[in-house]
Structures are given as structure tokens and as C-alpha cells.
Amino acid sequence: MKTRDIMASDDIAQLADALSKTHVGDGELSYKGLGLKLDNAASVEELVREIEQYQGLRALRLEGNTVGVDAARAIAKALESKDQLQRCYWSDMFTGRLRSEIPTALRSLGSALMSAGARLTELDLSDNAFGPDGVKGIEQLLKSPSCHTLRELKLNNCGMGIGGGKILAEALIGCHRQSSAHGAPLRLRVFIAGRNRLENEGARALSRAFQLMGSLEEVHMPQNGINYAGVMALASAMRHNPELRVLNFNDNTFTKNGTLAMAQALRHLRNVQVINFGDCLVRSEGAIALAAVLREGLPILKELNLSFGEITQEAALVVAQAVTDKPHMEKVDLNGNCLGEEGCEALREAMENMDKGDVLASLSDDEGEPDEDDDDGDDDEEDDDDDDASDHCNEDDEEDGDILKENGIPRKEDSPEKPQSSAEVMSFLSCPSAEKLLQLGETRTDLGQQVDVSDPHKAADVFLKIASLYKEEPEIKTAVLGTIDAMLNKLLSASALQSYCFLSTLLVMIGLLKGEKKMKKVSLLPGQLLCLEHAVQQDYFPQHHASLLHTFISKNSEALKSCSSAGERLSSALEKKCHDQH
């Protein structure tokens, strides 16, 4: 007993010494980072006294100490009278505690806040490895009137997992429902939950809460094992949060579909200042889609992180061109991609030419140019993801379809509504020939108009089929170019995102851009390049689209060798278009 008394008195002496160093003022009481081991009521006597005596306590910092169940109960008792408490900084508060103890400690503290009638604005429980059970420990608090006023919720590195993510989502939805019934809906602004293994199901569940709230300004969910299915759900929710300023999904796996969904969401968001999609496997097609959104939106963007995303030199240059008119841009991070030495130099030069050399982050970790014959190891991964999604989320298949459709990504089984094609048009598309094209007469314009702008693969396929019929014979030439004009006029007057997706798909099909999925390459014909040469010179073909094509064609002239003179004509038309506009 005596030894224990000595230890207890030592703890109290240590606490008294620590308390003398605490910051007391501005409504805040701080024991931050004191490394106190608070096991029982005796060990917190002095701390409890300070809390009880502090009139108008608004913020309590307990982070960087370790609190046991009995100590938490004693602290909770002191908090029952603190109705003005608004901010609880309780991260890294249970080091060395049994996982089974933490929910009990959290329940005690939460009950005290509810009893006091506190109205919290900020709750930080980061770096407490409490798992799904820990989320259960704060579930009632989150649903209670004490959290109706919550503005910032920080749960970084808590090991919540899918189960914890679902419990958290339901608690937030419950809080929003009850606060709305009282006439003041929950307006959470900051949500932080990185490193929590939320995966697709956890991301989906939280997406429902985010969509309902619609008040988010910052979302930080890095390193959560979320792939494109979960990313698409999150993208759909982000669209409904118009005040979003910071989006951080670093180190999740977007791939093409996830990036396209995020790009589509970003079109609707005018207040975004920071985008962190680093280490997200955005890849080149995704980077081009994001460049399109940079072209037509994101007016106050300050930071763009697309590092470690398997982006090639050409796509990185397209991104660089798209930040030209961003006056607030402070940092563009394209480090760790596949540019190669020449590509890094070209990117630096491009940024300097736009007076944005100081905006480009270091390229010291560049992965080098991808090998020509290097098949994408992730072709199957996306398929695995498909299986994975269907295995775990059968009940949500319909919802996934809605998300796909909402983000302008057609499903295979979807047949978007469009004018009924005539038998002649269908016959032509199934087996194109110059003779059939001439027979179409006036309906050739309809053929161009019927192309679905939301299906870039089909649009590119139809373009190449029609362009393959090009001949110098006047009647055929006029028919082909007239049809191409009608078609491209429609495609390129769509949103920049849709037109860039069409052009990047076209580049994949003609072998100038490595696509994410294996796609049968078209054997290029001179007529196809000559049709592009004609189109580039028309008013409907914007300069920045020409610039995109020029970037890829100038870096991959080898791929056009089979059509040398047509390729040269196209290159010179692109150069002229780009030069005329500068």
C-alpha cells in the first residue's frame, strides 16, 4: 500500500508541476503534450479542480496524455457543469490503454457533455486507435443536441474500418435529421478521417451523410483503401457541397472512372482552393479530364497535387497549359509521375513560359518514361475492382448505376436517350462505305448530330469510321467533311470535360496515348488525319483543343509515320492554329 501511496503522490506532484505549465486563458485550459499517465481519480484530482474552478471554459486540451477509465469518469464529473464548452481537443489520449477501455472512457466524457448542455463546435479525437467500438463510444454524443452545432470533426488515424465508417455515417445522418427538426440543421464544415481503412463501403456510407449536410468546406480522407467505386460515391456527394474549399483524397485508388467522376463533380464547385489527388492513380486520361475542368472552372484554385499518378509527359503538359489563366495558383505538384528527363525539362520550360515557373513543385522523384511495351499491370485490377464491388455491394448496384449516370459515365447496359437512328444510318455504321454515305443524302447531318457526347468511345469510333472513307474525289470529300463538321461541331461545343474525354479517347484509339484498359488500336489511314486537319481549321475547333492534340502529336510523330504527308499536314495546321491564337 505504501509503495502505491508514494507512486500516487509522485503522480500528483508530477501533475501539479505540469499544471503550473498549462496555458490558462481565452477560455482554454490546456494539458497538451504533457505525457501524463492518468489512471484513476486520485491522479486527476488537481486537473479536476482546475476544470471545476475555471469559469467560462470553452476549450479543453487533453491531447498527448493517456487517460484511463476511472480518470475519464472523474474528468467527466467535472465537465457536467461546463455548459459553455465548445471545443474538445482530445487526440492521442489513450496511448497504452486496452482497446476495450476506450469506448467506456469516451461514453463517460460524452455523457458529461450532454448533461452539461454543452454545444460543441469542434471535436478532435484523432490518433486514438479505437476502431469501430470507439465510434460506438461517441455515437450517442454525435446524435445529441450537443453536436447539432458541430463545425469540425477530426477522426484521423482511428482505425475505424468499414464498420466504424458506417456507424459514424448513421450518427451524422441522425444528428442532421434531429437538428433539422429543431430548425437549425447540422452544418459540419470540416471533416477529417484519414488512415481509417474505410474502403468502398465506408466511403459510400459517409457519402450519404455528406450529401445530406451539403455544408462541407474541407474534406480530408487520405489513405483509406478506397477505389473507384467508393470514389464515385464521394464525388457524387461532393457536388452537393457548394462551399467546398479543400479536397484531400491522397493515396486512394481513383483510376479512370473515379477521376472522371471527381472531374465532373469539380465542374459544379466554384470555391475549391486545394485539390490533393496525389498517389491516386489518376493516370493520363484522368489528368486530361481534370485539365478540362481547370479550363472551364475552379476560378480560385491555389494548389493542385497530382503527384505519383502514372501521368505521362504529354498529359502533364496539358495540365500545365490548363493552369495558365489561374491567377491564384501557388503550387502544381506533378512529382513522381512518368515524364522522363526530357519531359521534366519540357514541363519546367512550359511553366516558365507562362510565368509560373515558381509554381511548379520539385520533379526530383520522377519515375522516368514508361516502357513502350509495358502492359498496364492494372488492367486486370480494374476488373478485379468490378468483381469486388459486386461481391460486397449487390444491394447498391442500382445506386452505383445512378452515380455512373450522374457523372456522365455511361454503363454498358445503359442506352442513353437519343433520337431514333434510321435503318440507313444503322446500316452505314455497321459497315461503313462511301456509297452508303452518299445514299444517306441530307440525313448525313443527322448522323453527325446523333452522336452521344456522353459516350466518348462510341463518338471516337464513329468519327474514325466516317473519316476512313475520305477521298479526294469531290463528291465523297464533300460528304465526308460535311458529316465530320456536323459531328465535331456538336462534340466540341459540349462541356470542356466531355470534349476533352472525346479527344483523349480518340488519341488512345489511334495509339498516341496509352489508355488504362486494353483497347484495339485502329490502323491509321491518311484520310483520318486529313479530316482532322480540315476540322482544326474550322471556327468550331477551339484553340485549346488544338493545343491538346498538338502536344500529343508533336511528341509522338513516329506513330503517324504510316501516313507521313497527312501527318505533316495535320501537324502544321495544329501549329498554325496554336500560333494564330497566341
Side-chain angles (χ1 to χ4, degrees), residues 162 184 202 216 235 278 298 316 328 431 462 465 533 553 562 576:
I162 293 170
L216 290 167
L298 301 170
H328 305 285
C431 187
V462 172
K465 278 179 176 172
E533 181 219 5
I553 285 169
S562 60
K576 186 173 186 306

Side-chain angles (χ1 to χ4, degrees), residues 501-520:
C501 285
F502 161 71
L503 289 174
S504 67
T505 306
L506 186 63
L507 288 165
V508 170
M509 291 175 84
I510 63 178
L512 295 181
L513 168 62
K514 184 179 179 184
E516 186 167 271
K517 290 206 165 189
K518 289 188 177 104
M519 195 183 283
K520 192 178 176 188

